[in-house]
Coordinates of all heavy atoms in Angstrom, one line a residue:
M1 N 0.8 -1.2 -0.1 CA 0.0 0.0 0.0 C 0.8 1.3 0.0 O 1.9 1.3 0.7 CB -0.9 0.0 1.3 CG -2.2 -0.7 1.0 SD -3.4 -0.3 2.3 CE -2.8 -1.4 3.6
P2 N 0.4 2.3 -0.7 CA 1.3 3.4 -0.7 C 1.1 4.3 0.5 O 0.0 4.2 1.1 CB 0.7 4.2 -2.0 CG -0.6 3.6 -2.2 CD -0.6 2.3 -1.7
S3 N 2.1 5.0 0.8 CA 2.0 6.0 2.0 C 1.8 7.4 1.4 O 2.3 7.8 0.4 CB 3.2 5.9 2.8 OG 4.4 6.4 2.2
Y4 N 1.0 8.1 2.2 CA 0.7 9.5 1.7 C 1.1 10.5 2.9 O 1.1 10.1 4.0 CB -0.9 9.7 1.5 CG -1.4 8.8 0.5 CD1 -1.8 7.5 0.7 CD2 -1.4 9.1 -0.9 CE1 -2.3 6.6 -0.2 CE2 -1.8 8.4 -1.9 CZ -2.2 7.1 -1.6 OH -2.7 6.2 -2.6
Q5 N 1.5 11.7 2.5 CA 2.0 12.7 3.4 C 0.9 13.6 3.8 O 0.2 14.2 2.8 CB 3.2 13.3 2.9 CG 4.1 14.0 3.8 CD 5.4 14.4 3.2 OE1 5.5 14.7 2.1 NE2 6.5 14.3 4.1
F6 N 0.8 13.9 5.0 CA -0.2 14.8 5.6 C 0.6 16.0 6.3 O 1.6 15.7 7.0 CB -1.3 14.2 6.5 CG -2.1 13.2 5.7 CD1 -1.7 11.9 5.5 CD2 -3.3 13.6 5.1 CE1 -2.5 11.0 4.9 CE2 -4.1 12.8 4.4 CZ -3.7 11.5 4.2
D7 N 0.0 17.2 6.4 CA 0.6 18.3 7.1 C -0.3 18.7 8.2 O -1.5 19.0 8.2 CB 0.8 19.5 6.2 CG 1.9 19.3 5.2 OD1 2.9 18.6 5.6 OD2 1.8 19.7 4.0
C8 N 0.3 18.7 9.4 CA -0.4 19.3 10.6 C 0.2 20.6 10.9 O 1.4 20.9 10.8 CB -0.1 18.4 11.9 SG -0.8 19.0 13.4
H9 N -0.6 21.6 11.2 CA -0.2 23.0 11.3 C 0.7 23.2 12.7 O 1.6 24.0 12.6 CB -1.3 23.9 11.4 CG -2.1 24.1 10.2 ND1 -1.5 24.7 9.0 CD2 -3.4 23.6 9.8 CE1 -2.4 24.7 8.1 NE2 -3.5 24.0 8.4
T10 N 0.5 22.4 13.6 CA 1.4 22.5 14.9 C 2.4 21.4 14.9 O 3.4 21.7 15.5 CB 0.4 22.3 16.1 OG1 -0.3 21.1 16.0 CG2 -0.6 23.5 16.1
C11 N 2.2 20.3 14.4 CA 3.2 19.1 14.6 C 4.1 19.0 13.4 O 5.2 18.2 13.6 CB 2.5 17.9 15.0 SG 1.4 18.0 16.3
G12 N 3.7 19.4 12.3 CA 4.5 19.2 11.0 C 4.0 18.1 10.2 O 2.8 17.7 10.3
S13 N 4.7 17.5 9.3 CA 4.3 16.5 8.4 C 4.4 15.1 8.9 O 5.3 14.8 9.8 CB 4.9 16.6 7.0 OG 6.4 16.4 7.1
F14 N 3.6 14.2 8.5 CA 3.6 12.8 8.8 C 3.1 12.0 7.7 O 2.4 12.4 6.8 CB 2.9 12.5 10.2 CG 1.4 12.8 10.1 CD1 0.6 11.8 9.8 CD2 1.0 14.0 10.4 CE1 -0.9 12.0 9.6 CE2 -0.4 14.3 10.2 CZ -1.3 13.3 9.9
D15 N 3.5 10.6 7.7 CA 3.1 9.7 6.7 C 2.0 8.8 7.3 O 2.1 8.3 8.3 CB 4.2 9.0 6.1 CG 5.3 9.8 5.3 OD1 4.8 10.9 4.8 OD2 6.4 9.4 5.3
R16 N 1.1 8.5 6.4 CA 0.1 7.5 6.7 C -0.1 6.5 5.5 O 0.0 7.0 4.4 CB -1.4 8.0 7.1 CG -1.3 8.9 8.4 CD -1.5 8.0 9.6 NE -2.6 7.1 9.6 CZ -3.9 7.3 10.0 NH1 -4.1 8.5 10.5 NH2 -4.7 6.4 9.8
T17 N -0.4 5.3 5.8 CA -0.7 4.3 4.7 C -2.1 4.1 4.5 O -2.7 3.7 5.4 CB 0.2 3.1 5.0 OG1 1.5 3.3 5.3 CG2 0.0 2.0 3.8
F18 N -2.5 4.2 3.3 CA -3.9 3.9 2.8 C -3.9 3.2 1.6 O -2.9 3.2 0.9 CB -4.7 5.2 2.7 CG -4.9 6.0 3.9 CD1 -4.1 7.1 4.2 CD2 -5.9 5.6 4.8 CE1 -4.3 7.8 5.3 CE2 -6.1 6.4 5.9 CZ -5.4 7.5 6.2
S19 N -4.9 2.3 1.3 CA -5.1 1.9 0.0 C -5.5 3.0 -1.1 O -6.0 4.0 -0.5 CB -6.1 0.7 -0.1 OG -7.4 1.4 0.1
M20 N -5.2 2.8 -2.3 CA -5.4 3.9 -3.2 C -7.0 4.2 -3.3 O -7.3 5.4 -3.6 CB -4.9 3.5 -4.6 CG -3.3 3.4 -4.6 SD -2.6 2.9 -6.1 CE -2.9 4.5 -7.1
A21 N -7.9 3.4 -3.0 CA -9.3 3.5 -3.1 C -9.8 4.2 -1.9 O -10.9 4.8 -1.9 CB -10.0 2.3 -3.4
E22 N -9.0 4.2 -0.8 CA -9.5 4.6 0.5 C -8.9 5.9 1.0 O -9.1 6.3 2.2 CB -9.6 3.6 1.5 CG -10.4 2.4 1.2 CD -10.3 1.2 2.2 OE1 -9.4 1.3 3.0 OE2 -11.0 0.2 2.1
V23 N -7.9 6.5 0.3 CA -7.1 7.6 0.8 C -8.1 8.8 1.0 O -8.8 9.3 0.1 CB -6.0 7.9 -0.1 CG1 -6.3 8.3 -1.5 CG2 -5.1 9.0 0.5
P24 N -8.1 9.4 2.2 CA -8.9 10.5 2.4 C -8.1 11.9 2.1 O -7.0 11.8 2.0 CB -9.2 10.5 4.0 CG -7.9 9.9 4.5 CD -7.5 8.9 3.5
A25 N -8.9 12.9 1.9 CA -8.5 14.2 1.7 C -7.8 14.8 3.0 O -6.9 15.7 3.0 CB -9.4 15.2 1.1
A26 N -8.3 14.4 4.1 CA -7.8 14.8 5.4 C -7.9 13.7 6.5 O -8.7 12.8 6.3 CB -8.6 16.0 5.9
T27 N -7.0 13.7 7.4 CA -7.0 12.7 8.5 C -6.6 13.3 9.8 O -6.1 14.4 9.8 CB -6.1 11.5 8.1 OG1 -6.2 10.5 9.0 CG2 -4.6 12.0 8.0
A28 N -6.7 12.6 10.8 CA -6.4 13.1 12.2 C -4.9 13.0 12.5 O -4.3 12.0 12.1 CB -7.2 12.3 13.3
C29 N -4.3 14.0 13.0 CA -2.9 14.0 13.4 C -2.7 12.9 14.5 O -3.4 12.8 15.5 CB -2.5 15.3 13.9 SG -0.8 15.4 14.5
P30 N -1.6 12.1 14.4 CA -1.4 11.0 15.4 C -1.0 11.7 16.8 O -1.0 11.0 17.8 CB -0.3 10.2 14.8 CG 0.3 11.0 13.7 CD -0.7 12.0 13.3
V31 N -0.5 12.9 16.8 CA 0.0 13.5 18.0 C -1.1 14.3 18.7 O -1.5 14.1 19.9 CB 1.1 14.4 17.7 CG1 1.7 15.1 19.0 CG2 2.3 13.6 17.1
C32 N -1.8 15.2 17.9 CA -2.7 16.2 18.5 C -4.1 16.0 18.1 O -4.9 16.7 18.6 CB -2.2 17.7 18.2 SG -2.4 18.1 16.5
A33 N -4.3 15.1 17.2 CA -5.6 14.6 16.7 C -6.4 15.8 16.0 O -7.6 15.7 15.8 CB -6.4 14.1 17.8
S34 N -5.7 16.8 15.5 CA -6.4 17.8 14.7 C -6.5 17.4 13.2 O -5.8 16.5 12.8 CB -5.7 19.1 14.8 OG -4.4 19.0 14.2
A35 N -7.4 17.9 12.5 CA -7.6 17.5 11.0 C -6.5 18.1 10.3 O -6.1 19.2 10.4 CB -8.9 18.1 10.6
C36 N -5.9 17.2 9.5 CA -4.6 17.5 8.6 C -4.9 17.2 7.2 O -5.5 16.1 6.9 CB -3.5 16.7 9.1 SG -3.0 16.8 10.8
R37 N -4.5 18.1 6.4 CA -4.8 18.0 4.9 C -3.7 17.3 4.3 O -2.6 17.2 4.8 CB -5.0 19.4 4.3 CG -6.2 20.1 4.8 CD -6.4 21.4 4.1 NE -6.5 21.1 2.6 CZ -6.7 22.1 1.7 NH1 -6.7 23.3 2.1 NH2 -6.8 21.7 0.5
R38 N -4.1 16.5 3.3 CA -3.1 15.7 2.5 C -2.2 16.7 1.7 O -2.6 17.6 1.1 CB -3.8 14.8 1.6 CG -2.9 13.8 0.8 CD -3.7 12.9 -0.1 NE -2.8 12.4 -1.1 CZ -3.3 11.7 -2.2 NH1 -4.6 11.7 -2.4 NH2 -2.5 11.4 -3.1
R39 N -0.9 16.4 1.6 CA 0.0 17.1 0.8 C 0.3 16.4 -0.6 O 0.4 15.2 -0.5 CB 1.4 17.1 1.5 CG 2.5 17.9 0.7 CD 3.8 17.7 1.3 NE 4.1 18.4 2.5 CZ 5.2 18.5 3.1 NH1 6.2 17.8 2.7 NH2 5.3 19.2 4.3
F40 N 0.1 17.1 -1.5 CA 0.3 16.6 -2.9 C 1.6 17.0 -3.3 O 2.0 18.3 -3.4 CB -0.8 17.1 -3.8 CG -2.2 16.6 -3.6 CD1 -3.0 17.2 -2.7 CD2 -2.5 15.3 -4.1 CE1 -4.3 16.7 -2.3 CE2 -3.8 14.9 -3.8 CZ -4.7 15.5 -2.9
G41 N 2.5 16.1 -3.9 CA 3.7 16.3 -4.3 C 4.1 15.5 -5.6 O 3.3 14.8 -6.0
G42 N 5.2 15.8 -6.1 CA 5.6 15.1 -7.3 C 6.2 13.7 -7.0 O 6.6 13.5 -5.9
A43 N 6.0 12.8 -7.9 CA 6.5 11.5 -7.7 C 8.0 11.5 -7.9 O 8.6 12.3 -8.7 CB 5.9 10.5 -8.8
P44 N 8.8 10.6 -7.2 CA 10.2 10.6 -7.4 C 10.6 10.1 -8.8 O 10.0 9.1 -9.2 CB 10.7 9.6 -6.3 CG 9.5 8.8 -6.0 CD 8.3 9.7 -6.2
L45 N 11.5 10.7 -9.4 CA 11.9 10.5 -10.8 C 12.9 9.3 -10.9 O 13.1 8.8 -11.8 CB 12.3 11.7 -11.5 CG 11.3 12.8 -11.7 CD1 11.8 14.0 -12.3 CD2 10.1 12.2 -12.4
I46 N 13.7 9.2 -9.8 CA 14.8 8.2 -9.7 C 14.3 6.9 -8.9 O 13.9 7.1 -7.8 CB 16.0 8.8 -9.2 CG1 16.4 9.9 -10.0 CG2 17.1 7.8 -9.0 CD1 17.6 10.7 -9.6
H47 N 14.4 5.8 -9.5 CA 14.0 4.6 -8.8 C 14.9 4.3 -7.7 O 16.2 4.3 -7.9 CB 13.9 3.4 -9.8 CG 13.3 2.1 -9.2 ND1 14.1 1.2 -8.6 CD2 12.0 1.7 -9.2 CE1 13.3 0.2 -8.2 NE2 12.0 0.6 -8.5
P48 N 14.5 4.0 -6.4 CA 15.4 3.7 -5.4 C 16.2 2.4 -5.7 O 15.6 1.5 -6.1 CB 14.5 3.5 -4.2 CG 13.2 4.2 -4.6 CD 13.1 4.0 -6.0
G49 N 17.5 2.4 -5.4 CA 18.2 1.2 -5.7 C 19.0 1.2 -6.9 O 19.8 0.3 -7.3
S50 N 18.5 2.1 -7.9 CA 19.2 2.2 -9.2 C 20.6 2.7 -9.2 O 21.0 3.3 -8.1 CB 18.2 3.0 -10.1 OG 18.3 4.3 -9.8
A51 N 21.3 2.6 -10.2 CA 22.6 3.2 -10.3 C 22.7 4.7 -10.1 O 23.6 5.2 -9.4 CB 23.3 2.8 -11.6
A52 N 21.7 5.4 -10.6 CA 21.7 6.8 -10.4 C 21.4 7.1 -8.9 O 22.0 8.0 -8.4 CB 20.6 7.4 -11.3
A53 N 20.5 6.4 -8.4 CA 20.3 6.7 -6.9 C 21.4 6.4 -6.0 O 21.7 7.1 -5.1 CB 19.0 5.9 -6.4
R54 N 22.2 5.3 -6.3 CA 23.4 5.0 -5.6 C 24.4 6.1 -5.7 O 25.1 6.4 -4.9 CB 23.9 3.6 -5.9 CG 23.0 2.5 -5.5 CD 23.8 1.1 -5.6 NE 24.3 1.0 -6.9 CZ 23.7 0.2 -7.9 NH1 22.5 -0.2 -7.7 NH2 24.3 0.0 -9.1
L55 N 24.5 6.5 -7.0 CA 25.5 7.7 -7.3 C 25.2 8.9 -6.5 O 26.0 9.6 -5.9 CB 25.6 7.9 -8.7 CG 26.5 9.0 -9.1 CD1 28.0 8.8 -8.7 CD2 26.4 9.4 -10.6
I56 N 23.9 9.3 -6.4 CA 23.4 10.5 -5.7 C 23.7 10.3 -4.3 O 24.1 11.2 -3.5 CB 22.1 10.8 -6.1 CG1 21.9 11.2 -7.5 CG2 21.4 11.8 -5.1 CD1 20.5 11.4 -8.0
D57 N 23.4 9.1 -3.7 CA 23.6 8.8 -2.3 C 25.1 8.9 -1.9 O 25.5 9.5 -1.0 CB 23.1 7.4 -1.9 CG 21.5 7.4 -1.9 OD1 20.9 8.6 -1.9 OD2 21.0 6.3 -2.0
A58 N 26.0 8.3 -2.7 CA 27.3 8.4 -2.6 C 27.9 9.8 -2.5 O 28.8 10.2 -1.8 CB 28.1 7.5 -3.5
T59 N 27.5 10.5 -3.5 CA 27.9 11.9 -3.7 C 27.4 12.7 -2.4 O 28.2 13.5 -1.9 CB 27.4 12.5 -4.9 OG1 27.7 11.8 -6.0 CG2 27.8 14.0 -5.2
Q60 N 26.2 12.6 -1.9 CA 25.8 13.3 -0.9 C 26.5 12.8 0.5 O 26.7 13.7 1.4 CB 24.3 13.1 -0.6 CG 23.5 13.8 -1.7 CD 22.0 13.5 -1.5 OE1 21.5 12.5 -1.0 NE2 21.1 14.3 -2.2
R61 N 26.9 11.6 0.4 CA 27.5 11.1 1.7 C 28.9 11.7 1.8 O 29.5 11.8 3.0 CB 27.6 9.5 1.6 CG 27.9 8.8 2.9 CD 27.8 7.3 2.9 NE 28.1 6.6 1.6 CZ 27.2 6.1 0.9 NH1 26.0 6.2 1.1 NH2 27.5 5.5 -0.3
T62 N 29.6 12.0 0.6 CA 31.0 12.5 0.7 C 31.0 13.8 1.3 O 32.0 14.4 1.7 CB 31.6 12.5 -0.7 OG1 30.8 13.3 -1.6 CG2 31.7 11.1 -1.2
A63 N 29.9 14.5 1.4 CA 29.8 15.9 2.0 C 30.1 15.8 3.5 O 30.6 16.7 4.0 CB 28.5 16.5 1.7
S64 N 29.6 14.7 4.1 CA 29.7 14.5 5.6 C 30.7 13.5 5.9 O 31.3 13.6 7.1 CB 28.4 14.3 6.2 OG 27.9 13.0 5.7
E65 N 31.1 12.6 5.0 CA 31.9 11.5 5.4 C 33.0 11.4 4.2 O 33.0 10.5 3.4 CB 31.3 10.2 5.5 CG 30.1 10.2 6.5 CD 29.2 9.0 6.4 OE1 29.7 8.0 5.7 OE2 28.2 8.9 6.9
P66 N 33.9 12.3 4.1 CA 34.9 12.4 2.9 C 35.9 11.0 3.2 O 36.1 10.7 4.2 CB 35.7 13.6 3.1 CG 35.5 14.0 4.6 CD 34.2 13.5 5.0
G67 N 36.1 10.5 2.0 CA 37.0 9.2 2.0 C 38.4 9.7 2.3 O 38.8 10.8 1.9
V68 N 39.2 8.9 3.0 CA 40.5 9.1 3.2 C 41.4 8.3 2.2 O 41.2 7.2 2.0 CB 40.9 8.6 4.7 CG1 42.3 8.9 5.0 CG2 40.0 9.4 5.7
V69 N 42.3 9.0 1.6 CA 43.2 8.5 0.6 C 44.7 8.7 1.1 O 45.0 9.7 1.8 CB 43.1 9.0 -0.8 CG1 41.7 8.7 -1.4 CG2 43.3 10.5 -0.9
D70 N 45.6 7.8 0.6 CA 47.0 7.9 1.1 C 47.9 8.1 -0.1 O 49.1 8.2 0.1 CB 47.5 6.7 1.9 CG 47.2 5.4 1.2 OD1 46.6 5.4 0.0 OD2 47.7 4.4 1.7
A71 N 47.4 8.2 -1.3 CA 48.1 8.5 -2.5 C 47.2 9.1 -3.6 O 46.0 8.9 -3.5 CB 48.7 7.1 -3.1
P72 N 47.8 9.7 -4.5 CA 47.0 10.4 -5.6 C 46.3 9.3 -6.4 O 46.9 8.1 -6.6 CB 48.0 11.1 -6.4 CG 49.2 11.3 -5.6 CD 49.2 10.2 -4.6
A73 N 45.2 9.6 -7.0 CA 44.4 8.5 -7.8 C 45.2 8.2 -9.0 O 45.8 9.1 -9.7 CB 43.1 9.0 -8.1
G74 N 45.3 6.9 -9.4 CA 45.9 6.5 -10.7 C 47.4 6.3 -10.6 O 48.1 5.9 -11.6
R75 N 48.0 6.6 -9.5 CA 49.5 6.4 -9.3 C 49.8 5.5 -8.1 O 49.2 5.7 -7.1 CB 50.3 7.7 -9.1 CG 50.3 8.6 -10.4 CD 51.2 9.7 -10.0 NE 51.3 10.6 -11.1 CZ 51.9 11.9 -11.2 NH1 52.4 12.2 -10.0 NH2 51.9 12.5 -12.2
S76 N 50.7 4.6 -8.3 CA 51.2 3.9 -7.1 C 52.4 4.6 -6.6 O 53.3 5.0 -7.3 CB 51.5 2.4 -7.5 OG 52.6 2.4 -8.4
P77 N 52.4 4.8 -5.2 CA 53.6 5.5 -4.7 C 54.8 4.8 -4.8 O 54.9 3.6 -4.6 CB 53.2 5.7 -3.2 CG 52.2 4.6 -2.9 CD 51.5 4.4 -4.3
G78 N 55.9 5.5 -5.3 CA 57.3 4.8 -5.4 C 57.5 4.3 -6.8 O 58.5 3.8 -7.1
R79 N 56.5 4.1 -7.7 CA 56.7 3.6 -9.0 C 56.0 4.6 -10.0 O 55.0 4.2 -10.5 CB 56.1 2.2 -9.0 CG 56.4 1.6 -10.3 CD 56.6 0.2 -10.3 NE 56.9 -0.3 -11.6 CZ 57.9 -0.9 -12.0 NH1 58.8 -1.3 -11.1 NH2 58.1 -1.2 -13.3
I80 N 56.6 5.7 -10.2 CA 56.0 6.7 -11.1 C 56.4 6.4 -12.5 O 55.6 6.6 -13.4 CB 56.3 8.2 -10.6 CG1 55.8 8.3 -9.2 CG2 55.8 9.2 -11.5 CD1 56.3 9.5 -8.5
T81 N 57.7 6.0 -12.7 CA 58.1 5.9 -14.1 C 58.7 4.4 -14.3 O 59.0 3.8 -13.3 CB 59.3 6.8 -14.4 OG1 59.8 6.5 -15.7 CG2 60.4 6.7 -13.3
R82 N 58.6 3.9 -15.5 CA 59.1 2.6 -15.9 C 60.5 2.6 -16.4 O 61.1 1.5 -16.7 CB 58.1 1.9 -16.8 CG 56.8 1.7 -16.1 CD 55.9 1.0 -17.1 NE 54.5 1.0 -16.6 CZ 54.0 -0.1 -16.1 NH1 54.6 -1.3 -16.2 NH2 52.8 -0.2 -15.7
N83 N 61.0 3.8 -16.7 CA 62.4 3.9 -17.3 C 63.5 3.4 -16.2 O 63.5 4.0 -15.2 CB 62.6 5.3 -17.7 CG 64.0 5.4 -18.5 OD1 64.8 4.7 -18.4 ND2 64.0 6.5 -19.2
P84 N 64.2 2.3 -16.6 CA 65.2 1.9 -15.6 C 66.3 2.9 -15.2 O 66.8 2.8 -14.2 CB 65.8 0.6 -16.3 CG 65.6 0.7 -17.7 CD 64.3 1.6 -17.8
L85 N 66.6 3.8 -16.1 CA 67.5 4.8 -15.7 C 67.1 5.8 -14.6 O 67.9 6.4 -13.9 CB 68.0 5.8 -17.1 CG 68.6 4.9 -18.2 CD1 68.8 5.8 -19.3 CD2 69.9 4.4 -17.7
H86 N 65.8 5.9 -14.5 CA 65.3 6.8 -13.5 C 65.4 6.2 -12.1 O 65.3 6.9 -11.1 CB 63.7 7.0 -13.7 CG 63.5 7.9 -14.9 ND1 62.3 8.1 -15.5 CD2 64.5 8.6 -15.8 CE1 62.4 8.9 -16.5 NE2 63.7 9.2 -16.7
H87 N 65.7 4.9 -12.1 CA 65.9 4.2 -10.7 C 67.1 4.7 -10.0 O 67.3 4.5 -8.9 CB 65.8 2.7 -10.8 CG 64.5 2.2 -11.2 ND1 63.4 2.2 -10.4 CD2 64.1 1.6 -12.3 CE1 62.3 1.7 -10.9 NE2 62.8 1.3 -12.2
K88 N 68.1 5.2 -10.8 CA 69.4 5.6 -10.3 C 69.3 7.0 -9.8 O 70.2 7.5 -9.1 CB 70.5 5.6 -11.3 CG 70.8 4.2 -11.9 CD 71.8 4.2 -13.0 CE 72.0 2.8 -13.5 NZ 72.9 2.9 -14.7
L89 N 68.2 7.8 -10.1 CA 68.0 9.1 -9.6 C 67.9 9.2 -8.0 O 67.3 8.2 -7.5 CB 66.9 9.8 -10.3 CG 67.1 10.0 -11.8 CD1 65.7 10.5 -12.3 CD2 68.2 10.9 -12.1
P90 N 68.4 10.2 -7.4 CA 68.2 10.3 -5.9 C 66.7 10.5 -5.5 O 65.9 11.0 -6.4 CB 69.0 11.5 -5.5 CG 69.1 12.3 -6.8 CD 69.0 11.3 -7.9
R91 N 66.3 9.8 -4.5 CA 65.0 9.8 -4.0 C 64.8 10.8 -2.9 O 65.8 11.0 -2.1 CB 64.6 8.4 -3.4 CG 64.8 7.4 -4.5 CD 63.6 6.4 -4.5 NE 63.8 5.6 -5.6 CZ 63.0 5.4 -6.7 NH1 61.9 6.3 -6.8 NH2 63.3 4.5 -7.6
P92 N 63.7 11.4 -2.8 CA 63.4 12.4 -1.8 C 63.5 11.8 -0.4 O 63.1 10.7 -0.2 CB 62.2 13.1 -2.0 CG 61.5 12.1 -3.0 CD 62.5 11.3 -3.6
Ligands
ZN101 ZN1 -0.6 17.6 15.1

């Protein structure tokens, strides 16, 4: 069954589950029991669990949990060149 979102003027929004044939235009708030109108919104355009949704979640997660790296991407530390003459050069 789908869940629908309702707005209470004092408590905020909450979700209730109804069958599509029985969804009311207003319902009682579970906290203060006042009449709350249904909120109409757009349907989500990205399917949960899809590759696009995982990418968006990972991108949003890096804002609060940045990944820790110990080397630049694409290079292995200590083996920058394959020229054998470069192995004789002094190392920092
Ligand atoms: Zn309320």
Side-chain angles (χ1 to χ4, degrees):
M1 274 196 278
S3 66
Y4 298 91
Q5 201 166 34
F6 293 87
D7 286 327
C8 177
H9 292 292
T10 56
C11 305
S13 63
F14 61 94
D15 292 337
R16 293 277 311 268
T17 303
F18 293 99
S19 68
M20 293 178 74
E22 297 174 351
V23 60
T27 187
C29 175
V31 179
C32 66
S34 64
C36 303
R37 295 182 60 182
R38 182 177 160 198
R39 177 193 289 183
F40 291 92
L45 298 177
I46 297 175
H47 189 270
S50 67
R54 288 194 308 269
L55 176 62
I56 291 171
D57 290 343
T59 303
Q60 290 174 343
R61 195 170 37 251
T62 59
S64 60
E65 303 168 15
V68 178
V69 296
D70 56 356
R75 289 184 179 177
S76 63
R79 188 150 174 122
I80 297 172
T81 178
R82 293 176 189 256
N83 189 336
L85 297 175
H86 291 171
H87 293 292
K88 297 178 182 176
L89 295 174
R91 304 226 175 241

